[in-house]
């Protein structure tokens, strides 16, 4: 479904991605793990067209998207929940959701789709008239995921959904990611520092080190891999 | 008392004009964080388009209300095209450049528009015969008669109607929502599937058409314009936008009214020579106590 091939991305003179190859099949959950600064967020922003790939190709549903502007990529069916959630804090929760629905039939499916989002995150229904910035971190994350789902994406890119969120809510968010994948059939590409949680959830995983894909395999294999354990898991278990 | 009332009426009329221009400054600042110094000259272009349109309609025998409506539409459409073109030519190519670049480009655009109108229309002042005459007189038996002209009523009503439509547009429509989203986070707005460039263009189109209405009112009210009126009116409206809190749309409306009132009351009670200094000094004093203007709020975000 998504085929990333030899992608290189630069920030000014600094090379953030050094020829990344990743494949995500329809219906999968694929996790990308890696330390801070490995280039994980850069990769997601490159897929979404915010950063331009200097070299390489990104193919989605048999269409090359590496030169498309971000809004057209969203219209093709790739929605992103970015790092730090980036909800519109001065706008109401409802406005945030309506913005998410912009690409979807010009917002005409709002009533229908918002019901599905409220089923996923009931708390949002009670917060509709509140400004986004007044929500707690976990609620903001739910809003960010709900907002992305309003576009009826084929594929959801999630960047660090557990970052800065109460541990109790992290579980809830991972369960809803699983639901989005299993029940709504949305393919998920997940970037996480919480490698254990991400690999437990994922069908397959990739490890990104310094802009290169270092390892790949099924979620289970990577969890049991000694290198992955020493680099990303044991530190987290302390 | 009668004198005060007269100044109040005059101030509200002038404030309406400033308010309409100020919205354009504040919207553009809100969405791309730049002061569009050519906006005052867009207002001037609007005044010229309205003047030309009035003169052409004077040759026909169309009824006055229709002339007013048609002139309003013609001024808005033509001036919107100018605003849109200025954005495409002078600001869009510089969007990813450093912050000062579009600002300098805006100053350049301002000079270009002034000289273009000077070359095309001549440097002499242009006059317009009063289009709407007459009015209500109050307190005729006291020693000061208060006049509320039909023109003043027209100006205030058109301003209120336009601001109401504009407020509904910003708060209720998808495009208005996209605009508010762009003000906060342009990248994220693009990730919602919204064409950010088009949203920015729309901002310029709306701001310019509101400024053109202000231009039309200016030429009707004063009856005299030249290619240079955009400078002072633009600076005043910019002051109004900052006074109300730049980036805040209700702030621009409020700031416009305040500047209009300050200017007329100063002229009426103290001295007409220093009215501009009064307006700008108020800005300085207000900014000392309210650094973000009256309605501008510093962003406090929960992380």
């Amino acid at each position: 479904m998504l085929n990333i091939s030899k992608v290189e991305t630069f920030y000014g003179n600094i090379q953030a991605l050094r020829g990344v190859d990743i494949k995500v099949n329809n219906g999968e959950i694929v996790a990308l793990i890696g330390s801070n600064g490995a280039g994980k967020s850069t990769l997601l922003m490159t897929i979404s067209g915010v950063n331009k790939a200097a070299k390489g190709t990104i193919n989605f549903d048999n269409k090359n998207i590496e030169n498309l502007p971000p809004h057209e990529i969203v219209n093709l069916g790739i929605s992103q929940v970015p790092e730090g959630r980036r909800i519109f804090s001065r706008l109401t929760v409802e406005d945030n959701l309506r913005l998410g629905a912009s690409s979807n039939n010009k917002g005409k499916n709002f009533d229908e789709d918002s019901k599905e989002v409220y089923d996923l995150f009931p708390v949002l229904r009670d917060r509709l008239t509140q400004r986004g910035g007044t929500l707690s971190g976990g609620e903001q994350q739910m809003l960010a995921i709900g907002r992305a789902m309003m576009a009826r994406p084929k594929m959801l890119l999630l960047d660090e959904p557990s970052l800065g969120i109460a541990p109790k809510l992290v579980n809830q968010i991972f369960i809803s990611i699983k639901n989005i994948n299993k029940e709504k059939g949305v393919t998920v590409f997940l970037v996480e520092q919480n490698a254990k949680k991400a690999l437990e959830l994922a069908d397959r995983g990739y490890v990104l080190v310094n802009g290169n894909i270092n390892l790949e395999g099924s979620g289970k294999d990577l969890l049991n891999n000694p290198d992955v354990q020493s680099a990303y898991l044991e530190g987290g278990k302390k | 008392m009668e004198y005060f009332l007269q100044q109040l009426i005059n101030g509200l009329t002038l404030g309406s004009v400033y308010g309409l221009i100020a919205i354009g400054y504040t919207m553009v600042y809100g969405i791309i964080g730049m002061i569009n110094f050519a906006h005052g000259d867009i207002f001037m272009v609007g005044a010229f388009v309205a003047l030309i349109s009035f003169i052409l309609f004077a040759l026909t025998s169309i009824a006055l209300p229709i002339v007013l409506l048609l002139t309003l539409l013609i001024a808005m459409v033509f001036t919107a095209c100018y605003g849109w073109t200025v954005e495409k030519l002078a600001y869009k190519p510089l969007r990813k450049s450093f912050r000062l670049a579009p600002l300098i480009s805006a100053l350049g655009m301002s000079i270009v528009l002034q000289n273009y109108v000077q070359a095309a229309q001549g440097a002499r002042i242009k006059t317009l015969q009063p289009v709407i005459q007459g009015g209500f007189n109050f307190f005729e038996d006291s020693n000061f008669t208060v006049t509320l002209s039909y023109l003043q009523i027209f100006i205030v009503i058109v301003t209120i109607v336009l601001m109401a439509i504009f407020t509904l547009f910003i708060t209720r429509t998808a495009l208005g929502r996209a605009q508010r989203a762009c003000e906060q986070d342009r990248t994220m707005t693009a990730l919602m599937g919204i064409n950010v460039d088009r949203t920015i263009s729309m901002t310029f189109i709306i701001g310019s058409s509101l400024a053109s209405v202000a231009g039309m009112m200016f030429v009707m009210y004063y009856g005299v314009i030249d290619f240079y009126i955009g400078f002072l009116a633009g600076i005043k409206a910019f002051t109004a936008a900052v006074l109300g809190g730049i980036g805040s749309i209700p702030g621009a409306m409020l700031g416009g009214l305040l500047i209009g009132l300050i200017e007329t009351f100063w002229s009426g009670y103290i001295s007409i020579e220093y009215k501009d200094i009064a307006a700008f000094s108020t800005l300085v004093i207000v900014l000392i106590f309210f650094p973000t203007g009256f309605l501008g709020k510093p962003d406090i975000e929960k992380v």
Side-chain angles (χ1 to χ4, degrees):
Chain A
M1 187 180 209
L2 181 75
N3 207 336
I4 301 168
S5 160
K6 299 190 178 60
V7 161
E8 299 185 20
T9 304
F10 292 81
Y11 279 119
N13 292 326
I14 300 160
Q15 188 166 11
L17 299 178
R18 298 164 189 276
V20 172
D21 295 294
I22 284 177
K23 224 179 143 164
V24 181
N25 300 316
N26 197 0
E28 273 187 319
I29 299 183
V30 173
L32 177 71
I33 60 172
S35 59
N36 257 336
K40 306 188 297 295
S41 299
T42 307
L43 179 64
L44 290 198
M45 284 299 178
T46 308
I47 298 172
S48 283
V50 174
N51 298 330
K52 289 286 165 234
K55 277 185 193 155
T57 56
I58 302 172
N59 191 290
F60 179 70
D61 272 353
N62 302 319
K63 195 171 171 195
N64 279 2
I65 61 167
E66 68 271 8
N67 289 320
L68 293 182
H71 64 96
E72 285 181 24
I73 294 174
V74 177
N75 290 333
L76 287 176
I78 304 183
S79 279
Q80 183 177 163
V81 180
E83 186 176 358
R85 311 178 279 270
R86 290 174 82 163
I87 58 157
F88 298 103
S89 58
R90 273 177 277 161
L91 271 51
T92 62
V93 169
E94 183 179 341
D95 276 340
N96 271 278
L97 292 175
R98 283 191 186 275
L99 280 163
S102 309
S103 69
N104 168 1
N105 195 10
K106 293 187 175 154
K108 289 193 185 101
N109 302 329
F110 179 79
D111 292 332
E112 198 182 320
D113 291 357
S114 58
K115 275 198 195 85
E116 290 193 21
V117 170
Y118 305 148
D119 288 346
L120 215 52
F121 305 114
V123 66
L124 293 181
R125 194 199 297 265
D126 309 326
R127 299 270 191 270
L128 278 182
T129 55
Q130 256 176 269
R131 284 185 178 213
T134 63
L135 302 185
S136 76
E139 288 166 345
Q140 289 192 5
Q141 188 66 58
M142 293 176 194
L143 176 57
I145 297 174
R147 182 179 64 176
M149 289 302 293
M150 290 300 291
R152 291 195 185 174
K154 294 178 197 156
M155 178 174 221
L156 195 60
L157 310 176
L158 290 151
D159 196 347
E160 307 271 7
S162 73
L163 193 73
I165 288 173
K168 201 174 70 183
L169 286 176
V170 171
N171 280 328
Q172 198 193 331
I173 282 173
F174 272 87
I175 289 168
S176 45
I177 294 170
K178 196 167 186 172
N179 280 341
I180 287 169
N181 176 256
K182 296 283 174 297
E183 283 163 26
K184 305 196 191 297
V186 178
T187 309
V188 173
F189 186 45
L190 172 73
V191 159
E192 257 296 347
Q193 285 210 56
N194 190 336
K196 185 164 179 287
K197 274 223 140 18
L199 292 175
E200 279 170 0
L201 180 73
D203 300 310
R204 290 188 304 117
Y206 291 86
V207 180
L208 188 67
V209 180
N210 284 330
N212 279 308
I213 294 296
N214 202 297
L215 270 172
E216 60 174 286
S218 72
K220 219 176 270 168
D221 287 349
L222 286 177
L223 269 177
N224 296 327
N225 181 304
D227 290 342
V228 173
Q229 281 184 346
S230 66
Y232 302 105
L233 296 175
E234 268 147 27
K237 274 185 185 168
K238 265 180 210 167
Chain B
M1 180 59 205
E2 288 84 2
Y3 191 62
F4 175 84
L5 206 63
Q6 183 68 64
Q7 299 308 327
L8 189 68
I9 293 169
N10 296 349
L12 288 176
T13 314
L14 186 61
S16 300
V17 175
Y18 288 149
L20 283 175
I21 312 176
I23 290 177
Y25 278 107
T26 226
M27 276 173 77
V28 167
Y29 182 84
I31 204 161
I32 51 177
M34 114 183 210
I35 308 293
N36 178 11
F37 281 114
H39 190 61
D41 301 288
I42 290 288
F43 152 81
M44 177 270 294
V45 168
F48 268 88
V49 175
L51 177 79
I52 294 166
S53 152
F54 273 129
I55 291 172
L56 289 179
F57 281 123
L59 302 172
T60 67
S61 54
I62 302 171
L64 181 65
I66 300 171
V67 170
L68 288 174
L69 189 68
L70 284 177
T71 304
L72 191 77
L73 291 177
I74 290 171
M76 285 172 97
V77 169
F78 270 85
T79 315
C81 293
Y82 276 93
W84 180 82
T85 314
V86 165
E87 194 262 334
K88 282 276 174 274
L89 280 180
Y91 310 147
K92 189 167 175 251
L94 296 170
R95 193 149 307 144
K96 296 218 165 80
S97 159
F98 63 106
R99 243 178 108 90
L100 266 179
L103 214 64
I104 296 165
S105 185
L107 286 170
M109 236 23 244
S110 160
I111 297 169
V112 166
L113 285 172
Q114 280 176 23
N115 284 280
Y116 158 69
V117 173
Q118 186 184 8
Q121 297 293 325
R124 282 200 212 158
I125 57 164
K126 300 275 175 294
T127 55
L128 178 71
Q129 298 298 317
V131 180
I132 302 177
Q133 280 169 314
F136 301 106
N137 287 327
F138 303 99
F139 308 107
E140 285 187 64
D141 33 348
S142 73
N143 52 10
F144 189 88
T145 307
V146 176
T147 311
L148 174 61
S149 69
Y150 296 138
L151 178 59
Q152 287 174 321
I153 298 174
F154 171 77
I155 290 178
V156 172
I157 287 178
V158 170
T159 305
I160 291 172
V161 169
L162 278 179
M163 285 188 178
I165 293 173
F166 175 71
T167 307
L168 283 179
F169 167 81
I170 284 288
T171 52
R172 299 287 159 82
T173 65
L175 191 60
R177 201 180 299 121
Q179 229 149 33
R180 284 181 289 145
C182 276
E183 284 182 11
Q184 224 181 323
D185 189 338
R186 263 188 280 159
T187 305
M188 202 55 231
T189 307
L191 289 178
M192 302 277 92
I194 292 166
N195 187 338
V196 172
D197 281 339
R198 192 159 59 192
T199 311
I200 294 174
S201 290
M202 277 310 293
T203 306
F204 276 83
I205 287 173
I206 293 166
S208 305
S209 42
L210 290 178
S212 76
V213 177
M216 170 181 167
M217 290 165 171
F218 187 93
V219 68
M220 287 169 77
Y221 197 53
Y222 292 103
V224 180
I225 54 170
D226 62 25
F227 66 92
Y228 203 59
I229 57 164
F231 178 72
L232 196 58
I235 296 274
K236 289 260 182 62
F238 171 59
T239 307
V242 176
L243 193 67
I246 191 119
S248 153
I249 286 162
M253 301 176 185
L254 176 72
L257 281 183
L258 285 175
I259 292 286
L261 288 170
I262 290 163
E263 208 179 300
T264 32
F265 277 108
W266 184 278
S267 320
Y269 283 100
I270 300 168
S271 98
I272 198 158
E273 282 84 17
Y274 289 104
K275 66 181 169 107
D276 298 337
I277 293 185
F280 298 133
S281 310
T282 312
L283 176 71
V284 173
I285 294 163
V286 168
L287 287 185
I288 290 171
F289 296 103
F290 302 90
T292 54
F294 282 124
L295 299 182
K297 286 194 192 96
D299 265 342
I300 301 166
E301 280 178 30
K302 200 168 173 179
V303 183

